[in-house]
Amino acid sequence: MFIQLMHPDSPGLEAVSDYFALGPFRSAEIIPSGATGACYWNCDAYVESYGGKVMYGWQCRVWPGLFIEMLHHAVVELSDGRLVDPTDPGVPNNGLTAIVLDQTIVPPRDYPIYVPNKYCAVPGVSEEQQRACQAMVNISGRQLRVRRQIAEIAKGLGLSFPIGEHVALPPTEVVMRLSQEHQAAAEAYDQAVEECRRVTPAEFRRPGD
């Protein structure tokens, strides 16, 4: 996939902040010690070991030439005010990430709440590229809705949520339907990624893409 982290010095970050009506971006140093997709728990573990305070916000990522993606995220604020990010981003980066702090969403730790991402197309995209971006937005939202329903069922049954592992649910009619929807959403997501890859401007393609 083409998505990569936005560097804190990237041009256009102020416009992104204005578009989403967020505050100013700050820089966080990436010191990956925890798994991708488990940022809240990674930050808890870092604070327990080294001190600091868990801070929440929106991490800025970009598919060059197509869209901006804002991902709900957590970092750690150290006693000197610096921010560090103990989560492996899983995408290309330069050791720093741009994040807007926002304490209005404080996720629980028993089960993930799957906060929806925020998206916007970059200026100047064609109608075809806009449609590809919108397809990505739609399918990402569909995936989150299904995952949220599955998590709610597991939570209602009193099942624990092992970070990064599959939760085995009883094969009820509802669970089977959601499992099928989850598989269909995953396949649709792969198709959306391929369409975005196809319409990515040539100047943003990497060798072999």
Side-chain angles (χ1 to χ4, degrees), residues 2 9 17 85 101-102 143 162 165 176-177 184 203-204:
F2 283 31
D9 294 332
S17 180
D85 185 351
L101 297 182
D102 176 4
Q143 283 186 309
E165 298 181 19
M176 296 300 292
R177 175 178 59 79
E203 62 265 32
F204 296 110

Side-chain angles (χ1 to χ4, degrees), residues 30-111:
I30 300 171
I31 47 172
S33 58
T36 303
C39 60
Y40 312 128
W41 297 270
N42 294 339
C43 287
D44 287 345
Y46 186 95
V47 168
E48 184 176 353
S49 296
Y50 306 106
K53 179 181 179 181
V54 179
M55 303 293 286
Y56 305 97
W58 298 92
Q59 183 184 60
C60 189
R61 313 200 310 176
V62 61
W63 185 305
L66 284 187
F67 62 81
I68 299 291
E69 177 184 59
M70 300 293 285
L71 181 75
H72 194 261
H73 197 55
V75 295
V76 175
E77 185 176 59
L78 304 179
S79 59
D80 60 5
R82 290 184 297 117
L83 299 178
V84 295
D85 185 351
T87 300
D88 183 346
V91 296
N93 65 88
N94 293 309
L96 295 173
T97 185
I99 185 167
V100 176
L101 297 182
D102 176 4
Q103 302 300 100
T104 60
I105 301 176
V106 180
R109 301 301 196 262
D110 55 349
Y111 274 80

Side-chain angles (χ1 to χ4, degrees), residues 112-182:
I113 61 173
Y114 297 113
V115 180
N117 298 342
K118 302 175 183 287
Y119 292 89
C120 73
V122 301
V125 296
S126 67
E127 290 187 7
E128 182 182 43
Q129 292 168 330
Q130 178 67 53
R131 287 194 297 270
C133 296
Q134 189 59 51
M136 179 70 81
V137 173
N138 293 343
I139 191 57
S140 295
R142 177 181 165 193
Q143 283 186 309
L144 286 181
R145 287 192 296 273
V146 173
R147 289 171 181 168
R148 194 179 296 122
Q149 292 178 69
I150 292 173
E152 284 299 320
I153 291 174
K155 185 175 181 179
L157 292 172
L159 301 176
S160 61
F161 177 78
I163 304 303
E165 298 181 19
H166 176 70
V167 179
L169 297 175
T172 65
E173 182 177 346
V174 172
V175 169
M176 296 300 292
R177 175 178 59 79
L178 288 173
S179 296
Q180 292 173 355
E181 289 183 14
H182 187 270

